[in-house]
Amino acid sequence: MPTKRFTLSVKRHDPPSGEPPRFQEYELEVEEGVTVLEALLRIQAEQDGTLAFRYSCRGAVCGSCAMVANGEVSLACRTQLHGLGTDEITVEPLPHLEVVRDLVVDMDLFLEKNIEVRPWLDPPGPDPPRERLVDPSDWTEAEPYTNCILCASCHAVCPVTGRDPAYLGPAALAKHYRFLTDARDGAAEERLALVDSEVGVWGCDVVWNCSKICPKGVRPTQGILTTRERVKPKD
Ligand code: FES
């Protein structure tokens, strides 16, 4: 299989050291089909064991490996080097989140927002003797929103999360919509009150960046706009 030589310029940063971030170059020869994640793993194994990045499934399922390759937010495990159209590739951590080290960002703020929207079912009435079944025809609105893998790509491209850390953000608001539209849930009024604010659905700039970037096809902006329609208009 033909190979090609790439230069990966990776942003390095160790905040506790007090040193400013810097780019470090690594050269490697790879065959077609090799992803950014595989390239980083090879660099870590063969050239620099100190390079830090996060991954788990290697198959676009766990959401751990989102980063920025040549200016575009993407999952490193599904971005092929040859597909980037150049042999000089910069790799950076997700913006809008604190860097822990190199390409590893602190996900606490992002995950806390997801907890704030009560991401669990609150069904009405007593528990049934067996599970609560959903008719497939009642599942079409919520189902696409269950595909979120919490990779934070949407958070990284949202202009509002970049300027207001209090904003719930597209992932949390998509999660909110997933439970708001679940036919088994009975807490719509409380759920709508949770996001009826400038840090909730009214804070969105409606630029659709989140919906365009989501690797799983979730459309947070659509959910936000539909939720706005269900919230009483502000005076
Ligand atoms: S390693 Fe799991 S999504 Fe990339």
Side-chain angles (χ1 to χ4, degrees):
M1 189 181 286
T3 60
K4 189 172 163 187
R5 194 157 191 84
F6 288 90
T7 304
L8 261 70
S9 187
V10 182
K11 197 165 191 181
R12 309 292 312 267
H13 191 196
D14 180 18
S17 74
E19 296 290 323
R22 65 193 162 86
F23 281 93
Q24 186 163 354
E25 289 192 354
Y26 302 94
E27 306 241 329
L28 73 170
E29 185 103 14
V30 301
E31 60 279 13
E32 210 164 324
V34 167
T35 63
V36 172
L37 177 60
E38 287 171 309
L40 292 172
L41 285 164
R42 287 187 196 183
I43 290 168
Q44 193 186 53
E46 297 163 11
Q47 300 185 38
D48 186 347
T50 69
L51 183 59
F53 51 94
R54 198 182 267 134
Y55 73 99
S56 180
C57 71
R58 308 191 195 193
V61 174
C62 73
S64 333
C65 70
M67 52 187 76
V68 182
N70 277 1
E72 296 286 332
V73 171
S74 61
L75 296 179
C77 69
R78 110 170 176 177
T79 305
Q80 296 184 9
L81 294 188
H82 284 74
L84 289 170
T86 170
D87 52 10
E88 298 201 348
I89 293 165
T90 58
V91 186
E92 300 168 82
L94 287 183
H96 305 172
L97 292 165
E98 296 271 319
V99 171
V100 176
R101 187 179 169 114
D102 299 338
L103 303 170
V104 177
V105 290
D106 185 346
M107 297 287 280
D108 283 359
L109 176 72
F110 170 79
L111 294 172
E112 281 160 16
K113 303 288 181 201
N114 277 267
I115 299 295
E116 281 181 44
V117 298
R118 298 177 64 195
W120 55 81
L121 275 182
D122 196 348
D127 289 343
R130 296 188 64 184
E131 71 268 36
R132 295 176 190 274
L133 298 175
V134 185
D135 189 292
S137 64
D138 289 333
W139 188 235
T140 50
E141 192 64 24
E143 195 276 335
Y145 291 85
T146 65
N147 293 325
C148 171
I149 56 173
L150 296 174
C151 66
S153 295
C154 58
H155 186 95
V157 298
C158 171
V160 190
T161 61
R163 65 175 186 259
D164 182 4
Y167 178 53
L168 282 169
L173 290 169
K175 184 75 70 191
H176 174 272
Y177 190 70
R178 174 250 176 277
F179 286 95
L180 180 68
T181 52
D182 191 309
R184 298 164 293 181
D185 195 68
E189 218 168 290
E190 295 93 314
R191 292 193 187 282
L192 290 171
L194 264 179
V195 299
D196 181 13
S197 69
E198 283 301 318
V199 296
V201 290
W202 301 104
C204 174
D205 278 359
V206 196
V207 292
W208 297 87
N209 286 359
C210 54
S211 303
K212 288 179 206 145
I213 207 73
C214 177
K216 292 296 177 179
V218 179
R219 292 168 60 78
T221 319
Q222 188 58 59
I224 290 167
L225 293 179
T226 311
T227 305
R228 281 182 179 182
E229 286 169 18
R230 292 184 59 178
V231 175
K232 286 195 188 100
K234 295 224 164 278
D235 294 330

